[in-house]
Amino acid sequence: MTTTRTTADAALKEFYLPVCRKILNSEVFLLTQVEQNSEDVEGRRAVLSINTGRNHGIGARAEMGTLPTAGQQSYSEERVTLKYNYGRIEISGPVMRSMGSDRGSFVRAVDSETKGVVRDLKNDVNRQLYGTSDGVIATCGVTSAATTVVLASTTTATQMRQFEEGMIVDIGTVASPTSVATGRTITTVNVSAKTLVISGAAVTTAATDFVFRTGSGGSGANQVEMTGLQTQINDSGALWNIDPATVAKWKSYVDENSGTNRAVSEDMFITAQQEVNIASNEDINLWITSAGVHRNVAALMTSLKRFPTTNEMKGGYTGLDMSSVGQGNSGSNTVSMVWEKDCPENTAFGLATNRIQHYRMSDWEFMDEDGAVLNRVPNVDAYEATLFNYSELATDGRNAHARIDDLTA
C-alpha cells in the first residue's frame, strides 16, 4: 500500500512560524498630528482661559476731544473634562502554559493579548474622534420583534465597517441607550443589507433608536466617549462650557448643502480657508476627509492640470498637497489632505492643528499600582489585566477650523 499525505497525516508534525500576521487597521492618525498636553490638566479636567472679546475702549477723536471710555477684554473659561477608555483581557492558566513557546503556538498568550487590546482600544478611540460624542455608531430603522436589527437606509459604508462580529452593543435612545437592548453580541454583519444579527431575545426598534458600543452611550452629563470632530468643528451647540449663542465667535465655519451631496470644487476649500483666517487669524494646515472625497479632490486637481503631489507630515505620514488652495495672505503655509477610515463620508474637516491639543493624564497604560500588570482572577485558574487611557481631544479656538458637508464621495 502506498504511503500518502493522507495516510501519514497522524505521524506528521506541525511547524509553527514565530509570527502571527495582522490584518487589522488600527491607526490613530489624528493624535499624531496635534500637541500632547499633560501640563494643563488639573484634577480630572483641563481649564483654560479663552479671550473671546475685544477691548472696545478705542476710537479716533478730534484734537482735544473726549477720550474713549475705557474698555476691557472679554474672557470665557474653557473646561475640558477628560474621558476614560478601558480594555480588559483575561487568560486561563492552562492557555498561558500551552502558548509558552513558538513550537506550541503562533503567539505567546500574554504578549498577543496585551498588544492586541492596545491596538483594539486605539481603533475604537479613532472612531470616537470622528464621531458625534454621544456613542452613536448608527441609527436604527424599523425592526419588528426580530434578532436581525435593521439599520437606517442612510447608514454609510464607514458606519457599517465599525460593526464587527463579536462586538457587544446596546440599543436605545441617546437619553436611554439601553432602553431596547443591552449587552447583545453581534453575530453577523450584513453590509449590503445594512443589518446586524444580535444574540438574545428579539427586539423592536424605531427610527429614533441607535446602536452603541455597550456602556458607551450618553450625552451631556452622561457623555463618556471622547468629543468627536463632528461636535467640535461646528457652528452651533455649547462646547467646553462656552456657548456660541452667547459667545458669537465660538463657532467654526461650516459649509453644508441641506443634506444634498454636491461635487467638490476648489472654491469650497479656498472659501473655507479664507473665512477661517478672517475669523481667527489662523491658517488651516490639515484637511481630513473620507476616501471617496479624497479621490474626488485628487481627480479635480488633475482635471485642472494641477498634478497632485504629497507633503511630509508628523509621524512619517504623507498627505495630498492642498497648499495651492490657500492662496492669499497665508504665505508659504503648507496644507495637506489625508483620508481617514473613520471620517464621516461626504465630509471634510479643515483643522489648524496648532489650535487642537490632546489633553491627557495617562498614556496607553496597564493598571499596575500594586506592582503587577497581571492579577489573579478570584476563585479560578486565570489572570486578568486592564488597559486604560485618560485623555480628551479639545480645541482652544473653535473658529480656527472648518467643516464642509454634503460632498459627493
Side-chain angles (χ1 to χ4, degrees):
M1 182 176 178
T2 303
T3 301
T4 66
R5 286 290 300 271
T6 301
T7 58
D9 183 72
L12 297 176
K13 291 183 177 180
E14 300 281 358
F15 177 70
Y16 293 101
L17 296 174
V19 177
C20 179
R21 271 62 175 179
K22 299 177 183 177
I23 60 171
L24 304 174
N25 185 347
S26 306
E27 294 291 332
V28 190
F29 165 78
L30 181 55
L31 297 186
T32 68
Q33 304 303 306
V34 300
E35 181 182 345
Q36 307 296 307
N37 187 329
S38 58
E39 297 179 357
D40 294 324
V41 178
E42 301 175 4
R44 55 191 177 88
R45 64 165 60 98
V47 181
L48 302 92
S49 180
I50 306 299
N51 186 185
T52 55
R54 301 180 188 277
N55 180 342
H56 290 291
I58 59 177
R61 295 292 187 274
E63 184 179 3
M64 300 302 293
T66 302
L67 296 176
T69 302
Q72 63 183 18
Q73 300 292 316
S74 297
Y75 298 92
S76 296
E77 185 178 77
E78 180 176 3
R79 302 172 189 168
V80 180
T81 303
L82 300 186
K83 304 302 185 296
Y84 311 137
N85 277 280
Y86 299 93
R88 292 182 64 191
I89 65 171
E90 185 173 310
I91 309 170
S92 74
V95 166
M96 291 179 65
R97 285 295 182 122
S98 64
M99 298 180 72
S101 69
D102 290 338
R103 192 175 296 275
S105 74
F106 287 109
V107 289
R108 305 289 197 276
V110 175
D111 183 65
S112 173
E113 292 298 331
T114 53
K115 289 181 179 177
V117 74
V118 172
R119 175 198 65 207
D120 297 339
L121 180 57
K122 285 184 175 182
N123 185 61
D124 192 61
V125 164
N126 196 67
R127 173 190 61 79
Q128 296 176 35
L129 293 176
Y130 298 96
T132 52
S133 314
D134 52 14
V136 170
I137 301 177
T139 304
C140 292
V142 176
T143 303
S144 300
T147 56
T148 298
V149 179
V150 178
L151 301 178
S153 61
T154 54
T155 304
T156 66
T158 297
Q159 291 171 305
M160 291 304 302
R161 283 197 300 269
Q162 292 167 349
F163 293 114
E164 296 181 343
E165 288 83 357
M167 183 176 175
I168 305 173
V169 297
D170 296 335
I171 304 174
T173 63
V174 172
S176 183
T178 61
S179 57
V180 173
T182 184
R184 301 296 188 89
T185 301
I186 296 176
T187 58
T188 305
V189 178
N190 190 322
V191 175
S192 59
K194 298 182 180 179
T195 61
L196 309 172
V197 179
I198 59 172
S199 63
V203 299
T204 297
T205 67
T208 53
D209 295 318
F210 307 95
V211 184
F212 313 83
R213 183 178 289 277
T214 192
S216 296
S219 63
N222 297 318
Q223 178 186 340
V224 292
E225 288 200 347
M226 295 178 74
T227 305
L229 291 187
Q230 292 185 65
T231 300
Q232 299 201 50
I233 315 304
N234 209 332
D235 59 0
S236 63
L239 177 70
W240 312 131
N241 193 49
I242 307 175
D243 193 334
T246 54
V247 181
K249 294 186 181 299
W250 191 247
K251 59 177 64 175
S252 305
Y253 171 80
V254 176
D255 175 7
E256 54 87 29
N257 195 43
S258 302
T260 301
N261 292 338
R262 62 256 165 90
V264 297
S265 72
E266 190 173 24
D267 184 64
M268 291 176 179
F269 296 96
I270 293 173
T271 302
Q273 296 196 188
Q274 289 175 343
E275 291 297 325
V276 163
N277 186 267
I278 290 168
S280 66
N281 198 37
E282 299 288 355
D283 291 315
I284 291 173
N285 66 308
L286 176 63
W287 285 95
I288 303 179
T289 188
S290 64
V293 172
H294 186 274
R295 289 193 297 270
N296 286 341
V297 170
L300 170 68
M301 297 176 74
T302 302
S303 71
L304 297 174
K305 307 302 182 186
R306 187 177 298 144
F307 299 101
T309 58
T310 57
N311 294 325
E312 294 294 329
M313 304 171 68
K314 292 181 180 179
Y317 294 94
T318 58
L320 185 67
D321 187 0
M322 294 282 287
S323 304
S324 59
V325 304
Q327 46 189 272
N329 67 352
S330 59
S332 59
N333 183 48
T334 298
V335 185
S336 302
M337 173 178 279
V338 300
W339 64 272
E340 248 286 356
K341 66 183 178 67
D342 288 312
C343 185
E345 294 177 27
N346 315 113
T347 296
F349 296 104
L351 311 178
T353 56
N354 62 309
R355 300 306 301 269
I356 301 182
Q357 293 186 315
H358 182 211
Y359 295 94
R360 62 183 191 178
M361 197 160 55
S362 78
D363 203 340
W364 308 92
E365 303 176 33
F366 281 92
M367 291 182 177
D368 63 352
E369 293 298 324
D370 58 357
V373 169
L374 285 175
N375 295 279
R376 281 284 307 276
V377 178
N379 302 318
V380 295
D381 180 8
Y383 296 82
E384 66 177 1
T386 302
L387 172 71
F388 66 93
N389 178 271
Y390 306 153
S391 68
E392 177 63 293
L393 183 75
T395 179
D396 61 3
R398 202 179 194 185
N399 61 353
H401 317 291
R403 194 180 83 220
I404 304 177
D405 291 337
D406 305 322
L407 298 173
T408 301

